[in-house]
Amino acid sequence: MPRDATLNSLGLPKPPAQTRVVVAMSGGVDSSAVAADLASQGYDVVGVTLQLYDHGAALAKKGACCAGRDIHDARRVAEAMGFPHYVLDYENTFRDAVMEEFAEAYLAGATPVPCIRCNERVKFRDLLETARDLEADCMATGHYIRREVGAHGPELHRAADVMRDQSYFLFTTTREQLEFLRFPLGGLASKADTRALAERHGLAVADKPDSQDICFVPDGDYARVIEKLRPGAGAPGDIVDQSGRVLGRHEGVIRYTIGQRRGLNIGGLAEPLYVVRLDPEARQVVVGPRAALATRRVPVREINWLGDTPLTARAEWELEVRVRSTRPPAPAVIRPVSDTEAEVELLTPEAGVSPGQACVFYDPDSTRVLGGGWIWRGH
């Protein structure tokens, strides 16, 4: 390798000053610390912030990302560190690619994870193409996940900080995208290290609170957002047990999720009841005992496989999976049906598995993320 081809800190064979990096800046401390640190290393940094929805209505919500205040904060970081910053209007794209499907999924009785779709369809697709149009050598984000180069190319790995690991939300990242993406925070031991990095660069956002909930859902009121997108979606109906016996009334299937116990308003029963199934067509919320929530077999589709050999190269894979972001990976057997569909058998049944959530695959012998898919119906 020629002497001038020594890899820089982003793994590219040229000096930082000749390396253009587009940084996806949400206005929070994570992406701000990434942009500031890369600028301080001498990289040709370009900050880009996406306006994803009507930020004027979201100014009062402190926990929302990509709102008006966050755009302002991102701009301030860019000005302080001396690199250009652009705000791109992605409202229509975000509504079509994320919000509409979010509403449809809830109406179908599923529990969607819009942050995954946003990463897949907006940040790592449209924004990544914008970065290429800006002649960037790579795009960096503030996500807590690691990109490591293995024998067969870039691999996706869980973050060093297991409490901050965002691999569940990034399983749709493709091999081609991994060639272009960088995640500088993935190797940090804790969020405190990120805040210390921001303080070192004198950033005003160093002590900014983390974003909470889904960015376009004020105060966590999903039903209100869905009713705004789909007027009349909150039609009332019956709460029934598994035999069909009516136990009470509800104010809209969209107000309930699988595994929910609170808010059912059906007192006087011998044991606690949980939502075990949603039937939007019959406008029924089906409840049952906790034991009825236990799920062992999970059908998964739209699989993004990141293994070194094809998914269908084996009849089954003994891996670990996560069926919700708040749970650690657990042993499972994945039996491929095709390149994009499989049945997952959980060795220990999980409670509250819901269509619309992700099932993410992990190598049980390392930190590697092997992809994942979408849970599409229950058994």
Side-chain angles (χ1 to χ4, degrees):
M1 179 181 290
R3 183 176 298 176
D4 62 354
T6 302
L7 299 181
N8 59 34
S9 66
L10 294 175
L12 295 165
K14 51 185 175 180
Q18 297 175 22
T19 305
R20 176 167 292 175
V21 187
V22 164
V23 180
M25 299 182 68
S26 69
V29 63
D30 298 327
S31 57
S32 295
V34 166
D37 198 54
L38 291 175
S40 72
Q41 293 179 48
Y43 285 98
D44 177 11
V45 172
V46 178
V48 176
T49 301
L50 303 181
Q51 178 183 315
L52 298 180
Y53 53 91
D54 182 5
H55 60 81
L59 282 172
K61 176 156 171 55
K62 295 180 180 179
C65 75
C66 306
R69 171 64 186 272
D70 298 306
I71 292 172
H72 173 70
D73 287 345
R75 184 178 292 118
R76 286 174 63 198
V77 169
E79 289 174 352
M81 298 302 299
F83 59 82
H85 174 255
Y86 301 98
V87 178
L88 304 182
D89 183 355
Y90 271 49
E91 270 194 53
N92 290 339
T93 299
F94 185 71
R95 182 180 178 112
D96 293 344
V98 179
M99 294 177 67
E100 295 290 345
E101 182 181 278
F102 173 82
E104 287 299 318
Y106 257 104
L107 291 178
T111 305
V113 191
C115 298
I116 298 176
R117 288 301 196 193
C118 181
N119 289 325
E120 175 192 6
R121 296 175 174 176
V122 181
K123 294 175 182 173
F124 289 179
R125 186 183 67 187
D126 297 344
L127 179 55
L128 193 144
E129 285 306 311
T130 296
R132 293 187 189 279
D133 292 340
L134 291 171
E135 299 182 343
D137 295 286
C138 64
M139 185 173 91
T141 80
H143 288 108
Y144 288 87
I145 195 164
R146 286 182 293 159
R147 172 193 183 274
E148 296 186 3
V149 179
H152 299 274
E155 300 172 352
L156 205 59
H157 285 254
R158 282 179 278 172
D161 181 358
V162 295
M163 299 301 293
R164 290 281 167 181
D165 174 57
Q166 291 177 296
S167 59
Y168 183 85
F169 300 99
L170 296 167
F171 81 86
T172 60
T173 308
T174 66
R175 287 180 173 276
E176 182 183 11
Q177 291 167 345
L178 273 178
E179 292 281 355
F180 196 67
L181 288 165
R182 300 294 187 274
F183 309 107
L185 301 183
L188 297 187
S190 70
K191 181 63 176 259
D193 291 342
T194 303
R195 294 195 184 279
L197 185 63
E199 289 176 1
R200 196 178 314 146
H201 294 300
L203 304 184
V205 296
D207 59 353
K208 186 174 180 177
D210 290 339
S211 60
Q212 301 292 329
D213 298 321
I214 297 169
C215 67
F216 60 90
V217 183
D219 303 319
D221 191 346
Y222 305 111
R224 187 172 68 176
V225 173
I226 296 164
E227 286 176 326
K228 185 176 180 180
L229 291 167
R230 298 288 187 277
D238 292 327
I239 298 176
V240 302
D241 64 16
Q242 291 174 287
S243 66
R245 180 168 61 103
V246 176
L247 302 178
R249 294 282 289 174
H250 66 75
E251 296 182 356
V253 171
I254 61 173
R255 298 181 184 276
Y256 299 85
T257 57
I258 304 297
Q260 180 175 332
R261 177 185 171 189
R262 297 181 182 275
L264 296 177
N265 297 320
I266 45 173
L269 299 171
E271 62 177 332
L273 295 180
Y274 301 78
V275 177
V276 298
R277 187 166 56 85
L278 298 171
D279 187 341
E281 291 187 11
R283 297 210 301 270
Q284 289 183 335
V285 173
V286 184
V287 298
R290 183 171 177 79
L293 286 170
T295 300
R296 182 180 291 275
R297 297 186 182 276
V298 182
V300 177
R301 62 183 178 185
E302 291 184 63
I303 290 174
N304 177 50
W305 177 248
L306 295 173
D308 295 331
T309 57
L311 177 64
T312 53
R314 299 185 194 175
E316 61 182 39
W317 298 77
E318 294 183 2
L319 303 177
E320 292 186 337
V321 304
R322 290 165 81 179
V323 291
R324 61 170 58 81
S325 64
T326 55
R327 301 281 290 176
V333 176
I334 287 85
R335 298 185 178 91
V337 176
S338 69
D339 290 335
T340 58
E341 290 192 30
E343 183 177 79
V344 176
E345 180 182 354
L346 306 174
L347 299 193
T348 301
E350 287 264 7
V353 177
S354 173
Q357 294 177 326
C359 180
V360 182
F361 309 153
Y362 299 89
D363 181 353
D365 300 317
S366 72
T367 58
R368 188 171 177 186
V369 184
L370 293 173
W374 294 96
I375 301 168
W376 62 281
R377 59 180 168 80
H379 278 292

